[in-house]
Amino acid sequence: MSDVDMESGSDGSDLEDLDELIENTKKELFENDRDICCANRLLTLLSKNGDFEELAEKRKEFVKWAPLTPLNWINWIKDFQNQQPEPSVEDVEKMFEEAISDENFVEIWAERVMYAKKCADDETKTEDFAFCRQVCEKALTAIGSRYDSGGHIWLLFLNYETNHLEDFLESPDFQRLADQVTNLFHRALRCPTDQLEEVFSLAEQFCSEFNQGDQLPALKKQYDATMRQKEQLAKFQEMIDKKETKRQGLKLFFDFEKKSGMPTRIQMAHERLVSEFADDEDAWCAYGAWTENFLKLPQVSVDVYKRALRHCPYSYVLHQQALLALERARKPHQEIDELWERTKNTVINSYLSAAEDGRGLYRTYAFLLRRRIALSGSSDYSPMAEVFDEGAAILKEWFSMAWDPTGEYRQMQAYFYASLMKDMEKCRKIWNDILASGFGRFAGKWLEAVRIERQFGDNENARKFLNKALNSVSDNINEIYLYYVQFEREEGTLAELDTVLEKVNTQAAHRASRPQKKLPEKPAAPQKDHKEAVQKRSAGGEPIVKKVKSADGGFKAPHPPSMAKKLPSPSGSSTVTAPSGSFSTPKAEPGTEDARTIFVSNLDFTTTEDDIRQAIEGVSSIRFARKAHTEETHRGFAYVVMENDEKAKNALQKDRVPVKGRPMFISANDPEKRVGFKFSTGLEKSKLFVRNVHFQATDDEILALFSKFGTVTSVRRVTHRDGKPKGVAFVDFDSESSAQKCVASGDKLILRERELEVAISNPPSKKEKHGKGGFPSRREETREEDGGPRKGHAAKLQLVPRALSTKTPQITARLDAMDVSETPASSSSDPSSSSATPLSNDQFRKLFMRN
């Protein structure tokens, strides 16, 4: 039950029901003594039931660990104000500060502002209107820029200021005070809040009542600019108001405010997010990180983390960040240590579920102590040693051998004892524990222990580690060999070096002589019956088609289901030789299932049977070719059995019909008749080839554009295999004259702001490579004359001048004009052979020297 539900309760007739609810809530709280929602519900019920003594006790008890709701805080503050004798303003302000540190809500700030105004109006108190102004400014800083609630604070402050100004109408300082209020209106109108219209309406009233009409145009300009911002934020508010889209709306709102680059608005977006989802650990972590990295105000970061830990006491990440935030803010050591004690009591003793979290917490606090001790100038690091040892003992007790699976924590602990505590015995003990707990086979661990020993210990113990490593390491023993030899070069005598060399060589030879472990041979998989394998069905009754290598290295196409039924078993009496081609199917006999089967390809992988049935009428059954080990998607083709031969013929006419945006290729169930390039490849005088067609143009638009030249019989836009248009089309006329008329007209044909290019259709054969427009390119003509491009290699390096290779009329004339004496005799007698006769080097030289 929410606070609103409790507040809406009726009169005393419900007291018995409230008593029952209170008892049930207490039972729930007994079972889970850290249930924040249950604790707040109990306070609301006690307040409603009039159990004031118990309510006062529970408030003091719960507030130590649970963040109270705004309603519970407001009720508590009001009860505190009504006490006799009346509490001081300072004590009430402290309660307000505590409430706001729990919940930064507009309701609490509004109560605080109204209390400040009440104190300013009370003649028995020393607080004046300056005190009220101070509180209002605090409220504006904390919540004034929030879209959903900042407007309420602005209206309260502006009303107080305008009422206060009335007392100075006859004062010489009136204009100065009026200008201050005008500036306050400008500030309010710069904030896109939900009550911006009310703020401007109050500004108009102020200008009218206090003769400040000359200020109204500037205020109106500011209002119009901010309203444009508010209109952008209103669309997010619509999503936030709906329960199902609230989180998404808040996320989009936050991203939008983040782009503004204004720290106050970004902070308010964070505030709004955590106020709606106070138990969202990630939201608090992001808020705290933003205050540290961008806002760079240590006290603000501390306040954020304090609030975060109240709502998410289970989060070890927030505890880590809070400890570091307190250190950055230079808070007293006592405050940091108190937070660490709370961390141990809550996270480590109550919520810790992973050893990694515990290691992180102990590591964070241990190194925090190191920095503290170093700054103090002390050399007593025993507090840090206690934290390291305590963490190792507790985590090992809770998580057994899995408490430090990588040995990282113990390595840091060992280095600390060696470097700061100067206790090598403790360091060696920790390293022996690391190496004995499964890390002895790793060369890197042994070498790390040796390096620490060489740096802080003695060479004799380093040799002991290296000797043990020779018999323990299994992952990279060569590193130990090389390091051990180099160690004796640097530290040992010649005799010690010789001893190590002999030991290392003996060890290496011994390891090399060991028999290698043979991998167990896998037993040969039993040969499955071919018929059983082909007829294996998935859950849906469809065959699983697998890729099968053919003799030429390619992949065989899968056989249709009816064909699979006819394949004899390899274990049978008859022996059938597998065809060597990639696909071989006997011709279907009329009236059989194969004769009624069509092959459909180029399907989208998500195409279903219903999609095909909607495109083709008279379908009896559909068999998709599916990928191995999956039944969700198929391979883009299928065998479709029709009800009769007539339906099969009609289905063939559906070729190229789009299904899910892709043209469906349909052919008879015969590999030799599969869909290929079925359109004409010669000159078609009554058909036009059209280029530069807009991708979104329709057949009807093309038909309407070309109908002015004659009767158009058909329009076909060319598409890729995935159904996307290529930007070209073919337009069929009923006569050649209509097509010629369109080409010869010279009119600019514009479709969707694109100028079309039109030519008589003369498509090339499928295998030829051509340039744009369906005509051979200049490069292809050259290749044809040169004997075609080289296959499998880069393009030929042409040493012949481009002018000669293209054979333009000008160069031809120069060749004909050459002196006869410079060419072979055969060339003078046979002009046709002159071009085929190779030129000598001298002839080339003279050719290039000509003008």
Side-chain angles (χ1 to χ4, degrees):
M1 182 179 293
S2 65
D3 289 339
V4 177
D5 296 331
M6 294 304 305
E7 191 68 14
S8 62
S10 57
D11 54 16
S13 61
D14 293 335
L15 289 179
E16 293 183 3
D17 294 336
L18 289 176
D19 290 336
E20 184 178 354
L21 286 172
I22 290 172
E23 290 301 321
N24 293 335
T25 305
K26 287 181 179 178
K27 291 179 181 179
E28 292 181 28
L29 196 58
F30 179 77
E31 295 175 358
N32 185 2
D33 60 350
R34 285 297 182 267
D35 190 333
I36 296 175
C37 295
C38 191
N40 276 283
R41 187 165 66 250
L42 179 59
L43 293 180
T44 308
L45 289 169
L46 291 174
S47 176
K48 190 69 179 176
N49 203 33
D51 300 335
F52 298 116
E53 293 184 2
E54 185 178 3
L55 175 63
E57 295 177 1
K58 293 298 182 183
R59 280 170 173 168
K60 294 177 182 179
E61 177 186 345
F62 292 159
V63 78
K64 294 178 181 179
W65 58 270
L68 305 187
T69 60
L71 178 60
N72 281 328
W73 269 117
I74 292 172
N75 289 338
W76 191 3
I77 292 172
K78 287 182 178 180
D79 292 343
F80 182 71
Q81 292 177 17
N82 295 329
Q83 286 181 359
Q84 295 297 330
E86 184 180 355
S88 65
V89 176
E90 290 79 7
D91 291 337
V92 177
E93 280 291 301
K94 286 180 182 179
M95 282 204 70
F96 274 119
E97 287 290 340
E98 190 176 357
I100 290 164
S101 65
D102 247 3
E103 301 284 353
N104 192 30
F105 275 88
V106 66
E107 294 87 350
I108 300 176
W109 276 111
E111 285 291 332
R112 187 176 184 181
V113 168
M114 289 187 288
Y115 174 75
K117 182 62 167 61
K118 178 182 176 183
C119 292
D121 293 340
D122 192 346
E123 296 179 355
T124 62
K125 291 184 171 56
T126 58
E127 286 73 20
D128 55 6
F129 192 75
F131 171 72
C132 179
R133 273 203 192 104
Q134 184 181 4
V135 173
C136 289
E137 288 292 349
K138 287 182 179 179
L140 293 179
T141 302
I143 208 168
S145 299
R146 272 185 59 168
Y147 175 85
D148 61 327
S149 53
H152 185 57
I153 302 297
W154 282 109
L155 288 173
L156 283 174
F157 193 8
L158 291 167
N159 275 302
Y160 293 162
E161 285 287 356
T162 53
N163 292 336
H164 181 68
L165 186 62
E166 292 180 356
D167 298 334
F168 295 88
L169 290 175
E170 305 299 332
S171 172
D173 291 337
F174 170 77
Q175 191 57 46
R176 181 180 60 82
L177 296 175
D179 291 340
Q180 290 180 359
V181 177
T182 304
N183 291 333
L184 186 62
F185 273 109
H186 276 288
R187 289 172 55 195
L189 292 173
R190 278 196 294 268
C191 297
T193 62
D194 58 343
Q195 293 181 312
L196 183 63
E197 294 87 344
E198 290 83 348
V199 172
F200 181 69
S201 177
L202 186 61
E204 290 180 317
Q205 182 180 349
F206 163 76
C207 292
S208 174
E209 292 180 358
F210 294 93
N211 297 323
Q212 301 294 316
D214 56 333
Q215 301 290 341
L216 189 58
L219 293 172
K220 181 65 166 61
K221 183 178 180 181
Q222 182 64 64
Y223 167 73
D224 292 338
T226 309
M227 273 300 295
R228 290 191 290 270
Q229 298 180 34
K230 183 183 175 181
E231 290 171 359
Q232 293 177 323
L233 299 176
K235 59 183 180 182
F236 302 118
Q237 187 62 37
E238 293 178 1
M239 298 180 64
I240 296 171
D241 291 338
K242 298 178 182 177
K243 185 176 180 180
E244 60 274 10
T245 58
K246 175 180 285 189
R247 185 178 290 271
Q248 181 186 3
L250 286 170
K251 179 65 170 60
L252 294 175
F253 176 83
F254 176 78
D255 292 340
F256 180 83
E257 290 289 70
K258 204 172 180 181
K259 294 177 182 177
S260 69
M262 299 177 63
T264 54
R265 289 178 58 175
I266 298 174
Q267 185 178 5
M268 291 303 104
H270 274 296
E271 285 288 345
R272 193 170 185 190
L273 193 60
V274 297
S275 65
E276 293 288 349
F277 301 99
D279 58 347
D280 190 332
E281 175 185 358
D282 294 336
W284 283 109
C285 288
Y287 190 10
W290 178 80
T291 59
E292 292 175 345
N293 299 328
F294 296 96
L295 207 56
K296 297 186 183 301
L297 296 175
Q299 185 56 48
V300 176
S301 301
V302 169
D303 293 341
V304 169
Y305 284 124
K306 284 183 177 179
R307 291 168 53 203
L309 293 178
R310 299 273 290 170
H311 292 278
C312 305
Y314 52 83
S315 172
Y316 83 96
V317 177
L318 286 173
H319 279 272
Q320 278 183 298
Q321 292 182 341
L323 286 168
L324 296 176
L326 288 173
E327 183 184 9
R328 291 190 187 97
R330 302 180 183 275
K331 293 296 181 180
H333 298 164
Q334 182 181 358
E335 186 176 349
I336 298 176
D337 295 340
E338 288 176 356
L339 175 59
W340 171 246
E341 291 300 323
R342 291 198 301 272
T343 300
K344 289 196 297 182
N345 293 333
T346 54
V347 178
I348 297 177
N349 295 334
S350 302
Y351 296 108
L352 191 64
S353 59
E356 180 183 3
D357 303 345
R359 294 196 306 271
L361 285 171
Y362 275 103
R363 181 180 64 239
T364 298
Y365 187 62
F367 288 111
L368 182 150
L369 290 178
R370 184 198 65 78
R371 292 187 291 270
R372 178 193 297 179
I373 296 169
L375 287 174
S376 67
S378 174
S379 59
D380 181 12
Y381 288 93
S382 56
M384 185 178 176
E386 293 176 3
V387 172
F388 260 129
D389 294 344
E390 179 185 322
I394 290 179
L395 295 175
K396 189 173 183 178
E397 179 184 356
W398 283 24
F399 300 98
S400 187
M401 296 302 294
W403 78 275
D404 188 22
T406 63
E408 180 185 6
Y409 185 92
R410 283 172 287 177
Q411 282 184 240
M412 289 185 290
Q413 185 183 13
Y415 185 83
F416 159 72
Y417 271 103
S419 61
L420 297 180
M421 296 296 292
K422 310 301 181 184
D423 187 352
M424 285 304 301
E425 291 300 323
K426 179 73 172 181
C427 174
R428 294 179 189 123
K429 183 178 179 181
I430 295 173
W431 265 110
N432 286 330
D433 179 61
I434 294 173
L435 297 170
S437 58
F439 296 101
R441 64 182 185 274
F442 301 119
K445 296 293 185 182
W446 287 99
L447 294 179
E448 182 64 24
V450 171
R451 292 187 187 103
I452 293 178
E453 192 65 53
R454 292 182 68 182
Q455 184 177 0
F456 302 105
D458 55 68
N459 291 335
E460 191 59 36
N461 282 289
R463 285 190 180 92
K464 291 181 181 179
F465 276 119
L466 288 170
N467 281 324
K468 292 179 181 179
L470 289 176
N471 298 317
S472 303
V473 171
S474 60
D475 70 329
N476 197 351
I477 189 61
N478 288 330
E479 288 189 14
I480 301 296
Y481 293 159
L482 295 174
Y483 190 92
Y484 201 175
V485 172
Q486 185 64 26
F487 170 79
E488 292 299 350
R489 287 194 188 110
E490 296 171 350
E491 306 289 349
T493 63
L494 180 61
E496 289 172 332
L497 176 61
D498 291 340
T499 302
V500 168
L501 286 172
E502 182 181 358
K503 186 183 297 186
V504 166
N505 289 329
T506 303
Q507 180 74 259
H510 176 69
R511 286 178 178 259
S513 64
R514 292 178 183 174
Q516 300 293 324
K517 292 183 179 180
K518 293 184 179 181
L519 295 175
E521 296 182 359
K522 295 182 179 179
Q527 188 174 4
K528 294 184 179 180
D529 183 72
H530 183 67
K531 182 176 181 180
E532 179 185 354
V534 173
Q535 291 182 343
K536 185 177 179 181
R537 298 289 185 212
S538 63
E542 298 170 354
I544 299 177
V545 180
K546 297 184 178 180
K547 290 184 177 180
V548 183
K549 282 282 183 88
S550 64
D552 59 359
F555 285 97
K556 292 183 180 181
H559 294 294
S562 59
M563 184 64 188
K565 296 177 183 178
K566 300 177 183 179
L567 290 176
S569 170
S571 60
S573 59
S574 60
T575 303
V576 179
T577 304
S580 59
S582 62
F583 195 100
S584 178
T585 307
K587 188 173 182 180
E589 299 179 3
T592 62
E593 181 178 320
D594 279 349
R596 294 184 282 109
T597 302
I598 60 175
F599 181 75
V600 181
S601 61
N602 196 41
L603 298 172
D604 186 272
F605 292 148
T606 60
T607 303
T608 62
E609 290 190 15
D610 292 338
D611 296 330
I612 296 179
R613 292 180 187 276
Q614 290 178 5
I616 305 175
E617 296 180 0
V619 174
S620 175
S621 64
I622 300 173
R623 303 180 185 92
F624 284 108
R626 298 193 179 276
K627 296 181 180 179
H629 311 299
T630 180
E631 298 176 6
E632 287 140 7
T633 59
H634 50 76
R635 298 180 60 195
F637 61 92
Y639 297 95
V640 181
V641 181
M642 307 303 296
E643 294 175 354
N644 51 51
D645 294 344
E646 186 65 25
K647 298 287 187 182
K649 286 183 180 180
N650 295 337
L652 295 176
Q653 304 302 318
K654 298 288 186 178
D655 184 34
R656 312 282 171 164
V657 169
V659 174
K660 284 202 168 184
R662 295 175 66 93
M664 180 172 55
F665 297 168
I666 303 177
S667 63
N669 186 22
D670 186 346
E672 297 179 359
K673 295 182 180 179
R674 294 280 165 84
V675 174
F677 191 76
K678 70 173 190 174
F679 300 106
S680 302
T681 58
L683 183 64
E684 300 169 285
K685 297 182 180 180
S686 62
K687 182 183 291 187
L688 296 182
F689 175 72
V690 185
R691 287 198 311 172
N692 200 32
V693 180
H694 197 284
F695 289 159
Q696 296 180 357
T698 63
D699 291 348
D700 293 338
E701 291 175 340
I702 299 174
L703 177 65
L705 181 64
F706 284 90
S707 294
K708 62 182 179 180
F709 300 104
T711 303
V712 177
T713 58
S714 68
V715 174
R716 178 172 66 86
R717 288 178 295 122
V718 184
T719 60
H720 294 280
R721 292 178 68 88
D722 60 359
K724 294 181 180 179
K726 289 186 175 181
V728 298
F730 290 94
V731 179
D732 268 308
F733 286 95
D734 62 343
S735 63
E736 296 179 11
S737 59
S738 299
Q740 292 290 346
K741 179 182 177 182
C742 179
V743 175
S745 66
D747 295 344
K748 286 188 177 181
L749 299 176
I750 307 297
L751 180 61
R752 288 182 177 254
E753 299 181 357
R754 285 193 180 185
E755 183 177 352
L756 305 181
E757 300 178 21
V758 181
I760 297 295
S761 174
N762 187 17
S765 59
K766 178 69 172 177
K767 295 181 180 180
E768 294 178 359
K769 302 290 185 180
H770 292 277
K772 296 181 179 180
F775 300 100
S777 65
R778 189 169 185 176
R779 179 180 298 176
E780 289 157 1
E781 292 175 356
T782 304
R783 286 183 174 179
E784 184 179 356
E785 294 171 2
D786 292 340
R790 297 193 301 172
K791 296 182 179 178
H793 299 277
K796 290 191 295 184
L797 182 61
Q798 298 290 345
L799 297 179
V800 180
R802 185 181 301 172
L804 294 181
S805 64
T806 54
K807 295 185 180 180
T808 60
Q810 180 182 1
I811 297 301
T812 305
R814 287 188 177 183
L815 289 174
D816 294 340
M818 290 178 64
D819 192 352
V820 177
S821 62
E822 298 173 346
T823 58
S826 59
S827 64
S828 61
S829 60
D830 188 4
S832 63
S833 65
S834 62
S835 60
T837 303
L839 300 177
S840 66
N841 290 340
D842 188 52
Q843 290 170 341
F844 262 102
R845 181 180 60 80
K846 292 180 178 181
L847 175 64
F848 281 112
M849 295 297 294
R850 287 178 177 272
N851 293 331

